[in-house]
Structures are given as structure tokens and as C-alpha cells.
Amino acid sequence: MLYKWKKKLRKFHQNTDGSEVIEMVWTTMMLVCFIMIGLMLLTYVMQLTVVNTATKKVVREIEVTGQATQSTMNARFNEMLGSSDQLKDRSVSISNVSFMSGTNHIQLKHTFMVTGKCTYTVSLINPGNITGVSIDMPIVSRVSGMSEWYWGSGS
């Protein structure tokens, strides 16, 4: 019986009738897959640009005002990102900063770093009301800045 199956498999493998059609179907499927992957990467890059721009706006606001509060940073960051359901777990933080004693003021020419983070959800399969298959991709943007505000030398 095993011999019969081997013989049928060998005969099927050696038969080349219609092989061009099968190759065309596989080639078309691969082309569609490459286009879909390209579009997913393009949307990821566009969302990365949006997060980077939002982080730059937060940095610019801190540079001009010379103050950094978590509420104003969150407000500016979320304002720039909008109400997208695909950008989840939004956070913005400031680091490498030396505040003036007891305040949230940053003295002239003192540098700081703002980090904006989000998670971008790429939906692979979304069949209507049923929970689909998706991939969560992290987006992190780090932008440094320098204060442009002189607070005086007293504090």
C-alpha cells in the first residue's frame, strides 16, 4: 500500500500540466501580501511621524514658557495626537532636567529631554463584531530642548 502512495505522489510531482497557472496564482498571492505589508509599514511610519511631531510641540512649549508641568505636557501631547483609537497607552515625560529649587521652572540655556510613548495597534484581521487579530507596535519619540526663559538669578 505504501508503494502505491509513493507511485501516485511521484506521478503527481512529475506531472507539469497546469503548472504555469499555479505559479501565477502563487505569484499573485505573494504580490498582494507584499503590498499589504508595505501599506502597514507606511501607516506605522505615518503614526511615528505624528507622535514625533507631538513630542516636538511639547518640547517647544516648554522651551518658550520655561515651565514643565505634567498636566500641560499631557494636554499638549493628547491635543496633537487627537482621538485615534489606534494610538493607545499614551504617555509623555521629561528627563535630564534641572528645575529651579522648589519650582517647575527651567532656567535659561538648561537642557532637558522629553519622551513621548504610544502603542500603535495594527489590525490584521477584523471580521465585523468579532474580536480580530491585531499587533501592538510601540512608538517612542525622544526630543531634547533648551529653555529660552530667564527666571532671574534670585531663585
Side-chain angles (χ1 to χ4, degrees):
M1 182 159 173
L2 185 61
Y3 178 72
K4 287 181 184 180
W5 282 100
K6 277 185 172 180
K7 190 174 182 180
K8 285 183 181 181
L9 185 63
R10 186 175 297 134
K11 188 175 181 182
F12 178 76
H13 181 66
Q14 290 173 351
N15 186 3
T16 59
D17 293 340
S19 66
E20 292 85 12
V21 174
I22 293 171
E23 287 180 18
M24 185 184 75
V25 168
W26 280 109
T27 304
T28 305
M29 286 175 45
M30 292 306 293
L31 181 65
V32 168
C33 286
F34 284 138
I35 290 172
M36 287 175 54
I37 290 170
L39 288 175
M40 282 193 291
L41 287 175
L42 180 65
T43 58
Y44 178 76
V45 168
M46 289 172 59
Q47 294 298 328
L48 178 64
T49 304
V50 168
V51 172
N52 196 25
T53 302
T55 308
K56 285 180 182 179
K57 292 288 184 181
V58 170
V59 167
R60 187 63 189 144
E61 183 173 336
I62 294 171
E63 285 176 342
V64 171
T65 62
Q67 300 181 56
T69 61
Q70 192 64 41
S71 60
T72 56
M73 288 191 308
N74 286 336
R76 174 64 71 180
F77 192 65
N78 289 323
E79 175 188 333
M80 292 300 299
L81 292 181
S83 61
S84 173
D85 292 337
Q86 293 179 321
L87 290 174
K88 303 182 297 186
D89 303 328
R90 302 173 181 186
S91 68
V92 62
S93 61
I94 189 166
S95 61
N96 297 337
V97 62
S98 58
F99 291 111
M100 294 178 67
S101 61
T103 66
N104 60 353
H105 299 158
I106 304 171
Q107 188 58 276
L108 179 68
K109 292 192 176 183
H110 286 190
T111 60
F112 56 91
M113 173 87 64
V114 173
T115 303
K117 296 180 184 179
C118 291
T119 301
Y120 178 61
T121 303
V122 178
S123 297
L124 298 178
I125 300 171
N126 194 3
N129 294 336
I130 302 171
T131 303
V133 177
S134 61
I135 298 173
D136 290 337
M137 301 174 75
I139 297 177
V140 178
S141 175
R142 289 183 181 89
V143 180
S144 61
M146 182 182 294
S147 177
E148 298 175 1
W149 192 267
Y150 180 67
W151 290 99
S153 59
S155 298

